[in-house]
Amino acid sequence: MKKNKKRKVYLDNTPLDEALETFFNALSEVEADTLAGETILTENAHGRITKEPVFAKVSSPHYHASAMDGIAVDSKKTQGASLRNPKILTTPQDAELVDTGSPIPHDKNAVIMIEDVDWAGRNEVEIVESVAPWQHVRTIGEDLVATELIVPAGQKLRPVDIGAILAGGVTEVTVEPKPRVAVVPTGTELVEPGERLKPGDVVEFNSRVLSGLVSQWGGKPSKEDKLPDDYDLIVETIKSLLPQNDLIIVNAGSSAGAQDYTYQAIKDMGEVISHGVAIKPGKPVILGIIDKTPVIGIPGYPVSAVLAMELFVKPLLYKWQNKSVPKQEEITAKISRRVVSSFNAQEYLRVKVGKVGDKFVATPLGRGASMIMSLVKSDGMIVIPQMREGLEKGEEIDVKLHRSKENIESTIVGIGSHDISLDILSNELSKRYPPYTLSSAHVGSMGGLMALKRGEAHMAGVHLLDPETGEYNIPHIKKYLSDQDIILVNLAYREQGLLVAKDNPKNIYGLEDLKREDVKMVNRQKGAGTRILLDYKLEELGISSEQLTGYDREEVNHLSVAAAVNGGTADCGLGIRAAAEALDLDFIPVSKERYDIAIPRDFWDWEGIQHILKVIRSEEFKHSIDELSGYDLSASGEILHC
Amino acid sequence: MKKNKKRKVYLDNTPLDEALETFFNALSEVEADTLAGETILTENAHGRITKEPVFAKVSSPHYHASAMDGIAVDSKKTQGASLRNPKILTTPQDAELVDTGSPIPHDKNAVIMIEDVDWAGRNEVEIVESVAPWQHVRTIGEDLVATELIVPAGQKLRPVDIGAILAGGVTEVTVEPKPRVAVVPTGTELVEPGERLKPGDVVEFNSRVLSGLVSQWGGKPSKEDKLPDDYDLIVETIKSLLPQNDLIIVNAGSSAGAQDYTYQAIKDMGEVISHGVAIKPGKPVILGIIDKTPVIGIPGYPVSAVLAMELFVKPLLYKWQNKSVPKQEEITAKISRRVVSSFNAQEYLRVKVGKVGDKFVATPLGRGASMIMSLVKSDGMIVIPQMREGLEKGEEIDVKLHRSKENIESTIVGIGSHDISLDILSNELSKRYPPYTLSSAHVGSMGGLMALKRGEAHMAGVHLLDPETGEYNIPHIKKYLSDQDIILVNLAYREQGLLVAKDNPKNIYGLEDLKREDVKMVNRQKGAGTRILLDYKLEELGISSEQLTGYDREEVNHLSVAAAVNGGTADCGLGIRAAAEALDLDFIPVSKERYDIAIPRDFWDWEGIQHILKVIRSEEFKHSIDELSGYDLSASGEILHC
């Protein structure tokens, strides 16, 4: 049975709106689109939304209460009293001592403050002024009258509402339910966070993300134990979860691969409404219903998973709670790169957004469905409709923001080469000068200069060696940004060197060793600052690239070079010390290079840039960089005009 | 010892800024103004704020992983392949089957999708296109490079952040602490919510409000059991709470009455920094420190309590969490009434705010410190500085909003006479037409007409009988709003009658019985619609007010009349049926009266008013009113032009 049930090879490509409509109609048909209210203790209802209006059961105060410490009197008996013609009242018959909150005796209707009472004798007080009825008395229902509406339906209960409801004698309230959502992680490759990782292992973090989203949208998630890819186990688990959940999320096994059992499991137990939606990422989503309970198969890649949750789970949870999905703020931005998109799907593109000058600029982040950092770093989302081939560079597009506009307006946009000190800079900036933040996009030094040229960044991290002069950055800026006034600020000098295996088994001590026949190197892509540096150094030493084994093998970042060395497919490669440390490799220093920040003069006086400069010059920043190895801060903060 | 320790008679009147500064300085001196970070499991850190930056411990992926189901190859071995000149690769040596997520073998560097593979034989595949290195491979660190910054300090962790941190191999994070706050309710008069109430009992709801505020501001409250007013018990309780709390709140006993022990308790165990602040409400606040732990005495009246919490506890909790107190939105509004304020204190005035036409109008709510409903109903707060004698009617003032401006702009402002059907109207409106809400201020029918005249309300509930014609509302509108075009919409006819004790022991069957010598009545204040009705009916019957016992005794609302009857100080009084039902009295019908809503034509076409009309005409609204007794809806929704 397992064998012939396990597989469905092709996914549908249903347009999003159609998939949503069909699914919600199917839920409505089986009456799974509404949930009953939940009746809970009032004192536990902070933040919940009333499903029914709340009316007072008792009045508050529920008796005529003294508002002061004093004596309670009948106002009539004080009438006509004056300094010339005082009246004497005897206690307790005509003047009874009361504390704040004491009940007013039935034959009294006013209170005279204790400070104003003149004692005429042991049991007598002298009244020199008449008193209005109900003076200093909190009459019954002054605050809240029995049967009065305290809060209407649909109100999010604040602490003061809870107080008023309790004051009104109502100890239980009916609130919108928190939909109960089971999150079932599946996948034989999954391991728990913190376990030692073998190649092929995948950390099971998705269920934590999905549960977090469920909470955020008002639901009550229960994260289940992970399951291997096993049809029977998946069926059994779903079955056991049906009675006590309003929604079951299976993550993943939702595609059409050999190990994907989710579709078949839902189909065999209930009905699959839709499998495969024309969205990117997130296509292999499954919308199903078993026993009147929706069961949704969410794709495994984290970006696909989050997007599928946003599109299918969020509206369902809000509907169940009788709320409309909160609107995201939208702005219009200029897109900084050309984006080619598929005709066959509506694409959701994560972007960083910055305000440079008076324009918002959106820079696409990594589009891979596996890249959760693209969600962490993203400021907003662009939707490229199906049947469009993409976006042209400079095109104006709508961006749905994940952060507030105010937040984005206090973001310093940095585009250029990556260095770990930028992370520290970003961190110190947020700490010292909230709400200012630094957003860094890593496209290499030349990419950074081009972004400055197009007015899309406030600053660029650059380390461009000019092979002719041996000088850093200035020649390139003069050549490519000749019409702009650029100020360079040194961030640090950093060490580049050869990454070699732990304990240096091949005894590599310098670039000369690259010529050895038993040494296989790995290189960086053309145009990378590190490759320019290597070529420059090789020329100094009179070494031709043709003498080197592996010169043509290219990797795209420092870490990939380190990984090649670590995996044993190369013996060495040029990179920064941090990359060696990351993978526990040995490091043979070759050169120091200058890493600067290029800032157009137009932005120099802006508060954001001034804060950046203050951080660079701060002791805390220097101290944090000093804790890393491979950095020289002797010129840090130094300014060069180009 | 108890006797001579229990009392401090006079409070200070320290200006707010001075009290705050002295208190925070004192905390800083004993180093009680910062808290250590809290290290918790990453997966429990949703919504928490990072105190330290989080750097990746492992790369993600941590191995070169196939991004597709397919075959892994060495790209070099595909070079030169074309349709005319295909290359044959043998499996598994040169072409190894891989699933999505599988590790790429060390001697391979690209993946060809399974859909594109042509099998040339059992162990041979035919390649007709060369493949770029790293095609369909997720290289090590593609998403996240070990040592890379995942989130900076000061970031509120979202579900995707949690996922990325776990992907980076980090299972614990250091976050800003949740300050631990003990809330100790004191007062011999306190009873738990839901207990049967005797005169003098006060429902202990404050601790629930205070705990809710602590949670809302990021703290971790622990609500302690209530204590009677007992010096020794209070001392003992504070002592036992000191070790495990960052802040202790004692509520109340903070004033200078005979039963107020909080001041003395703090003084005897530590230091009182300030007792009595020049604010209204909230004056009797105590700021103290015991054993480096702040102990704050919060006044007992709910409005004073919430205000004192806002002013003293909120900034402390935010400081401890390294956050700035969120700014409240501010608008400028016209105040609708004159407000007299004290020279000696900075007053905090709760107001309802509405946008009528193009102006924001602020209407002061009840100013009593005991009135929690003034907080529930309030849209914002006005601060009247010390040394000002108040605000003139029509003055423009700043209002700090508790609700969003958008929310306020979709609020229908109703000012006038109160009726319970308005509560139902409000409730149905919120349910059917969010975000529209109805805000009702109850100042009587004439007050409502005057508010329309001044352009301060969209509608007014009115039931004004003209004694000369016996007609309702129209004569008054013609007289007082002659220059305005007003449309009247009938909401309901409602029953007025005599409220008498349960089972009618005095056998009262009509207004004629008021003449009996053994019958003592209670009346409403002059100008009340109900009094006008009574006078009209008495005249019809030829009864003179001088014949009636108790005609001069005035109460200010239906409920107070009911309470007087319930308490036995009167035998009957005129009022609406709902008041009789609220206090379980018998009801002798006297008359039906017309209750209309008056709407200026200027607002008639506005969406808010149109929604109100739709609700009035809806079956759901009629059905809800039908469930109450004393209402006749036969003319409901009927329109009369004046």
Side-chain angles (χ1 to χ4, degrees):
Chain A
M1 165 173 158
K2 230 160 150 181
K3 279 281 169 196
N4 59 14
K5 287 221 161 185
K6 74 181 180 188
R7 206 145 176 196
K8 183 199 177 210
V9 178
Y10 297 105
L11 301 186
D12 306 328
N13 196 41
T14 314
L16 175 63
D17 290 345
E18 190 185 320
L20 275 170
E21 197 189 329
T22 316
F23 186 49
F24 273 87
N25 283 345
L27 290 176
S28 144
E29 258 167 43
V30 298
E31 288 169 5
D33 58 342
T34 52
L35 297 182
E38 191 183 342
T39 299
I40 59 174
L41 284 179
T42 302
E43 61 183 302
N44 297 336
H46 288 279
R48 301 296 293 269
I49 294 168
T50 49
K51 197 177 176 74
E52 310 283 347
V54 182
F55 296 97
K57 284 187 183 164
V58 298
S59 296
S60 175
H62 57 99
Y63 60 96
H64 294 318
S66 177
M68 298 282 173
D69 293 354
I71 53 165
V73 298
D74 178 352
S75 66
K76 274 202 218 90
K77 297 193 176 163
T78 68
Q79 263 155 39
S82 68
L83 272 173
R84 294 194 158 202
N85 186 22
K87 293 206 166 192
I88 300 291
L89 299 181
T90 54
T91 60
Q93 301 94 305
D94 291 332
E96 194 170 326
L97 270 169
V98 286
D99 288 329
T100 305
S102 294
I104 302 295
H106 287 307
D107 57 347
K108 313 274 191 303
N109 67 355
V111 170
I112 298 171
M113 286 200 290
I114 197 76
E115 293 91 319
D116 298 339
V117 171
D118 290 316
W119 293 92
R122 197 182 157 84
N123 295 314
E124 288 181 339
V125 293
E126 193 183 76
I127 303 297
V128 294
E129 219 176 7
S130 70
V131 168
W134 309 113
Q135 167 184 290
H136 300 321
V137 174
R138 295 169 44 223
T139 54
I140 291 183
E142 179 192 75
D143 190 13
L144 199 53
V145 176
T147 73
E148 185 181 334
L149 179 74
I150 306 175
V151 290
Q155 175 142 337
K156 188 168 181 176
L157 295 173
R158 304 160 299 175
V160 292
D161 299 322
I162 300 290
I165 293 171
L166 292 173
V170 181
T171 52
E172 285 189 336
V173 286
T174 300
V175 293
E176 294 292 352
K178 281 188 169 292
R180 300 159 302 168
V181 182
V183 176
V184 185
T186 72
T188 307
E189 73 283 8
L190 298 178
V191 298
E192 289 300 316
E195 281 183 32
R196 215 183 153 71
L197 297 174
K198 300 183 304 296
D201 288 348
V202 170
V203 178
E204 199 291 279
F205 59 80
N206 263 2
S207 71
R208 280 77 175 184
V209 177
L210 272 44
S211 299
L213 291 172
V214 167
S215 294
Q216 193 174 298
W217 299 332
K220 193 175 166 187
S222 74
K223 191 197 93 54
E224 306 298 325
D225 290 338
K226 64 181 157 59
L227 300 179
D229 294 310
D230 179 310
Y231 172 86
D232 292 333
L233 262 179
I234 293 170
V235 164
E236 196 181 294
T237 303
I238 293 178
K239 205 169 275 172
S240 75
L241 291 169
L242 284 168
Q244 70 276 21
N245 285 287
D246 301 310
L247 167 65
I248 296 171
I249 290 172
V250 183
N251 175 241
S254 69
S255 192
Q259 308 299 318
D260 292 329
Y261 299 111
T262 306
Y263 167 81
Q264 198 61 45
I266 298 175
K267 189 159 176 272
D268 292 345
M269 281 188 284
E271 189 190 356
V272 171
I273 308 296
S274 184
H275 186 200
V277 180
I279 52 172
K280 191 183 169 189
K283 180 174 181 177
V285 72
I286 306 170
L287 307 173
I289 303 179
I290 305 174
D291 286 350
K292 302 189 173 192
T293 300
V295 180
I296 299 185
I298 293 283
Y301 277 140
V303 182
S304 311
V306 169
L307 187 66
M309 290 289 289
E310 288 268 355
L311 294 175
F312 299 100
V313 175
K314 189 177 185 180
L316 183 55
L317 294 187
Y318 276 85
K319 182 165 195 325
W320 273 336
Q321 296 169 84
N322 240 322
K323 292 193 283 190
S324 41
V325 173
K327 278 195 191 126
Q328 280 176 284
E329 198 172 5
E330 263 190 49
I331 54 154
T332 301
K334 208 180 85 167
I335 189 128
S336 68
R337 293 200 214 129
R338 181 161 184 253
V339 176
V340 178
S341 157
S342 157
F343 260 118
N344 292 325
Q346 176 152 306
E347 181 163 357
Y348 292 79
L349 190 67
R350 283 85 64 210
V351 292
K352 289 213 71 80
V353 182
K355 192 173 188 183
V356 182
D358 56 359
K359 287 186 306 255
F360 287 103
V361 179
T363 302
L365 284 157
R367 291 160 80 184
S370 62
M371 293 168 80
I372 191 166
M373 283 305 285
S374 70
L375 288 171
V376 170
K377 289 178 181 166
S378 107
D379 298 320
M381 188 84 90
I382 289 173
V383 182
I384 308 174
Q386 201 171 342
M387 314 296 282
R388 268 212 60 171
E389 57 187 347
L391 302 170
E392 289 308 319
K393 186 163 119 179
E395 194 174 333
E396 304 246 298
I397 30 95
D398 290 336
V399 183
K400 278 194 178 151
L401 294 181
H402 301 152
R403 298 198 298 148
S404 77
K405 212 163 127 179
E406 285 70 29
N407 236 312
I408 283 173
E409 284 170 348
S410 49
T411 297
I412 297 118
V413 180
I415 299 184
S417 172
H418 177 248
D419 188 84
I420 200 166
S421 62
L422 288 180
D423 292 345
I424 293 170
L425 184 57
S426 155
N427 192 51
E428 283 291 322
L429 177 78
S430 308
K431 207 153 83 183
R432 294 166 68 113
Y433 301 107
Y436 283 92
T437 56
L438 171 62
S439 135
S440 297
H442 309 138
V443 299
S445 299
M446 272 307 294
L449 292 187
M450 291 305 106
L452 293 186
K453 195 181 175 72
R454 293 192 302 267
E456 292 169 358
H458 297 115
M459 56 178 252
V462 285
H463 61 115
L464 284 163
L465 175 63
D466 177 36
E468 284 173 26
T469 59
E471 199 181 359
Y472 268 92
N473 298 326
I474 294 180
H476 285 84
I477 290 173
K478 286 200 169 139
K479 185 166 171 194
Y480 295 105
L481 278 75
S482 55
D483 54 342
Q484 271 183 288
D485 190 357
I486 301 287
I487 301 170
L488 275 178
V489 180
N490 180 251
L491 192 64
Y493 281 85
R494 64 179 190 181
E495 275 184 289
Q496 290 263 23
L498 288 170
L499 318 187
V500 300
K502 186 83 185 158
D503 299 328
N504 198 1
K506 288 265 172 111
N507 297 306
I508 297 168
Y509 296 107
L511 292 178
E512 291 86 351
D513 289 315
L514 298 189
K515 293 187 291 186
R516 278 161 49 190
E517 273 192 13
D518 66 327
V519 170
K520 206 163 38 165
M521 71 167 288
V522 55
N523 205 350
R524 288 289 304 280
Q525 84 276 20
K526 289 185 193 73
T530 302
R531 179 151 175 170
I532 296 174
L533 175 66
L534 178 69
D535 291 344
Y536 177 75
K537 286 286 168 193
L538 289 174
E539 204 183 325
E540 268 191 351
L541 296 169
I543 302 172
S544 149
S545 61
E546 280 155 26
Q547 297 173 266
L548 313 181
T549 314
Y551 181 87
D552 294 333
R553 176 169 174 199
E554 294 179 0
E555 297 282 348
V556 293
N557 62 43
H558 293 287
L559 245 289
S560 308
V561 170
V565 174
N566 197 36
T569 60
D571 299 314
C572 66
L574 195 65
I576 59 173
R577 189 187 278 269
E581 296 201 337
L583 293 195
D584 201 21
L585 301 174
D586 276 9
F587 181 79
I588 315 298
V590 166
S591 177
K592 266 191 194 174
E593 67 175 3
R594 185 178 171 104
Y595 187 98
D596 291 332
I597 292 175
I599 303 166
R601 169 165 289 289
D602 287 351
F603 303 131
W604 186 261
D605 292 329
W606 177 49
E607 212 173 16
I609 287 293
Q610 284 300 314
H611 288 325
I612 287 279
L613 296 173
K614 273 179 270 173
V615 172
I616 292 176
R617 288 169 189 147
S618 72
E619 284 312 307
E620 289 83 351
F621 176 70
K622 293 193 167 138
H623 181 75
S624 299
I625 303 286
D626 270 342
E627 286 188 347
L628 304 171
S629 32
Y631 289 88
D632 167 0
L633 294 173
S634 55
S636 183
E638 209 178 84
I639 293 176
L640 291 170
H641 290 263
C642 304
Chain B
M1 163 176 159
K2 227 159 148 180
K3 279 283 170 197
N4 59 15
K5 286 223 161 187
K6 75 181 179 190
R7 206 145 176 196
K8 183 199 179 211
V9 178
Y10 298 104
L11 301 186
D12 305 329
N13 197 40
T14 315
L16 175 63
D17 290 345
E18 189 185 321
L20 274 171
E21 196 188 330
T22 317
F23 186 48
F24 274 87
N25 284 344
L27 290 176
S28 142
E29 258 167 44
V30 298
E31 289 169 5
D33 58 343
T34 52
L35 297 182
E38 191 184 343
T39 300
I40 59 174
L41 285 179
T42 303
E43 60 182 302
N44 297 337
H46 289 278
R48 301 296 292 270
I49 293 168
T50 48
K51 198 177 175 74
E52 310 284 349
V54 182
F55 296 98
K57 284 187 181 163
V58 297
S59 296
S60 173
H62 58 98
Y63 60 96
H64 293 319
S66 177
M68 298 282 173
D69 293 354
I71 55 165
V73 299
D74 179 352
S75 67
K76 272 203 218 90
K77 296 194 176 162
T78 68
Q79 262 156 39
S82 68
L83 271 174
R84 292 193 160 203
N85 187 19
K87 293 207 168 191
I88 300 291
L89 300 181
T90 54
T91 61
Q93 299 94 307
D94 290 333
E96 192 170 327
L97 272 169
V98 286
D99 288 328
T100 305
S102 294
I104 302 294
H106 286 307
D107 57 347
K108 313 272 190 305
N109 67 355
V111 169
I112 299 171
M113 285 201 288
I114 196 76
E115 294 90 318
D116 297 340
V117 171
D118 290 315
W119 292 93
R122 200 183 154 81
N123 295 315
E124 289 180 340
V125 293
E126 193 182 78
I127 305 295
V128 295
E129 218 176 9
S130 71
V131 167
W134 308 112
Q135 166 184 291
H136 298 322
V137 173
R138 294 169 45 224
T139 53
I140 291 182
E142 179 192 76
D143 190 13
L144 201 52
V145 176
T147 72
E148 183 181 336
L149 178 74
I150 306 177
V151 290
Q155 174 142 336
K156 187 168 180 176
L157 295 174
R158 303 160 302 172
V160 292
D161 300 322
I162 300 290
I165 293 171
L166 291 173
V170 182
T171 53
E172 284 189 336
V173 287
T174 300
V175 293
E176 294 291 351
K178 280 188 169 293
R180 300 159 303 168
V181 182
V183 177
V184 185
T186 72
T188 306
E189 72 283 9
L190 298 179
V191 299
E192 288 301 315
E195 280 184 33
R196 215 183 153 71
L197 297 173
K198 299 183 305 297
D201 288 347
V202 171
V203 179
E204 199 293 277
F205 60 79
N206 263 1
S207 71
R208 280 76 177 186
V209 177
L210 272 45
S211 300
L213 291 173
V214 167
S215 295
Q216 193 174 297
W217 299 331
K220 193 175 165 187
S222 74
K223 191 196 92 54
E224 305 298 326
D225 290 339
K226 63 183 157 54
L227 300 178
D229 294 310
D230 179 310
Y231 172 86
D232 292 332
L233 263 179
I234 292 170
V235 165
E236 194 180 296
T237 303
I238 293 178
K239 205 169 277 172
S240 75
L241 291 170
L242 283 169
Q244 71 275 23
N245 285 287
D246 301 310
L247 168 64
I248 295 170
I249 291 173
V250 183
N251 173 243
S254 68
S255 191
Q259 309 298 318
D260 293 328
Y261 298 110
T262 306
Y263 167 81
Q264 199 60 45
I266 298 174
K267 189 161 178 270
D268 292 347
M269 282 188 283
E271 190 190 356
V272 170
I273 308 295
S274 184
H275 185 200
V277 181
I279 51 171
K280 191 185 169 186
K283 180 175 180 176
V285 73
I286 305 169
L287 306 172
I289 304 180
I290 305 173
D291 285 351
K292 303 188 173 193
T293 300
V295 180
I296 299 185
I298 292 284
Y301 277 140
V303 182
S304 311
V306 169
L307 187 66
M309 290 288 290
E310 288 269 355
L311 294 175
F312 299 100
V313 175
K314 189 176 183 179
L316 183 55
L317 294 187
Y318 276 85
K319 182 164 197 323
W320 273 336
Q321 297 169 82
N322 240 321
K323 293 193 283 190
S324 41
V325 174
K327 279 197 189 125
Q328 280 175 284
E329 198 172 7
E330 263 191 49
I331 53 155
T332 301
K334 209 180 84 169
I335 189 128
S336 66
R337 294 198 213 129
R338 182 163 183 249
V339 176
V340 179
S341 157
S342 159
F343 261 118
N344 291 325
Q346 176 152 307
E347 181 165 357
Y348 293 79
L349 190 65
R350 283 85 64 209
V351 291
K352 288 212 75 79
V353 182
K355 191 172 189 185
V356 182
D358 56 0
K359 289 186 306 255
F360 287 103
V361 178
T363 302
L365 285 156
R367 291 161 78 184
S370 62
M371 293 168 80
I372 190 167
M373 282 305 285
S374 71
L375 288 172
V376 170
K377 289 179 180 165
S378 106
D379 299 319
M381 189 82 91
I382 290 172
V383 182
I384 309 174
Q386 202 171 340
M387 314 295 283
R388 269 211 59 172
E389 58 187 346
L391 302 169
E392 289 307 318
K393 185 163 120 180
E395 194 173 333
E396 304 247 300
I397 30 95
D398 289 336
V399 183
K400 280 194 177 150
L401 294 181
H402 301 151
R403 298 197 298 147
S404 76
K405 213 163 128 181
E406 286 71 28
N407 236 313
I408 283 174
E409 284 171 347
S410 49
T411 297
I412 296 119
V413 180
I415 298 183
S417 172
H418 177 248
D419 187 85
I420 199 166
S421 62
L422 288 180
D423 292 345
I424 292 171
L425 185 58
S426 155
N427 193 52
E428 283 291 322
L429 178 77
S430 309
K431 208 151 82 183
R432 294 165 67 112
Y433 302 107
Y436 284 92
T437 55
L438 171 63
S439 133
S440 297
H442 309 136
V443 299
S445 299
M446 273 307 295
L449 293 186
M450 291 305 104
L452 293 185
K453 195 180 177 72
R454 293 192 302 268
E456 291 169 358
H458 298 116
M459 55 179 253
V462 285
H463 61 114
L464 285 163
L465 174 64
D466 178 35
E468 284 172 26
T469 60
E471 199 182 359
Y472 268 91
N473 299 327
I474 295 180
H476 285 85
I477 290 174
K478 286 199 170 138
K479 185 166 171 192
Y480 295 104
L481 277 76
S482 55
D483 54 343
Q484 272 184 288
D485 189 358
I486 301 287
I487 301 170
L488 276 178
V489 179
N490 180 251
L491 192 64
Y493 281 84
R494 65 181 191 181
E495 276 184 290
Q496 290 265 21
L498 288 169
L499 317 186
V500 300
K502 185 81 184 160
D503 299 327
N504 197 0
K506 287 265 173 112
N507 297 307
I508 297 168
Y509 298 107
L511 294 178
E512 291 86 351
D513 290 314
L514 299 188
K515 293 188 292 186
R516 280 161 46 191
E517 272 192 15
D518 65 327
V519 170
K520 208 166 34 169
M521 70 166 290
V522 56
N523 206 349
R524 289 288 304 280
Q525 85 275 20
K526 289 184 194 76
T530 301
R531 179 151 174 169
I532 295 175
L533 175 66
L534 177 70
D535 290 345
Y536 177 76
K537 287 286 169 190
L538 291 175
E539 206 184 323
E540 268 189 351
L541 296 167
I543 303 171
S544 150
S545 62
E546 281 157 24
Q547 296 172 269
L548 314 181
T549 314
Y551 181 88
D552 294 333
R553 177 171 172 197
E554 293 180 359
E555 297 282 349
V556 292
N557 61 43
H558 294 288
L559 245 289
S560 309
V561 170
V565 174
N566 197 36
T569 59
D571 300 312
C572 65
L574 195 64
I576 58 172
R577 189 186 278 270
E581 295 199 339
L583 292 195
D584 200 20
L585 301 174
D586 278 9
F587 181 79
I588 316 298
V590 167
S591 178
K592 266 191 193 172
E593 67 174 4
R594 184 179 172 105
Y595 187 97
D596 291 332
I597 292 175
I599 303 166
R601 169 165 290 289
D602 287 350
F603 304 131
W604 186 260
D605 293 327
W606 177 49
E607 211 174 15
I609 287 294
Q610 284 299 314
H611 288 325
I612 288 277
L613 297 174
K614 273 179 269 174
V615 171
I616 292 176
R617 289 171 189 146
S618 72
E619 284 313 306
E620 289 83 351
F621 176 69
K622 291 191 169 138
H623 181 76
S624 300
I625 302 287
D626 270 342
E627 286 187 348
L628 304 171
S629 32
Y631 288 89
D632 168 1
L633 294 174
S634 55
S636 182
E638 208 177 86
I639 294 176
L640 291 170
H641 290 264
C642 304

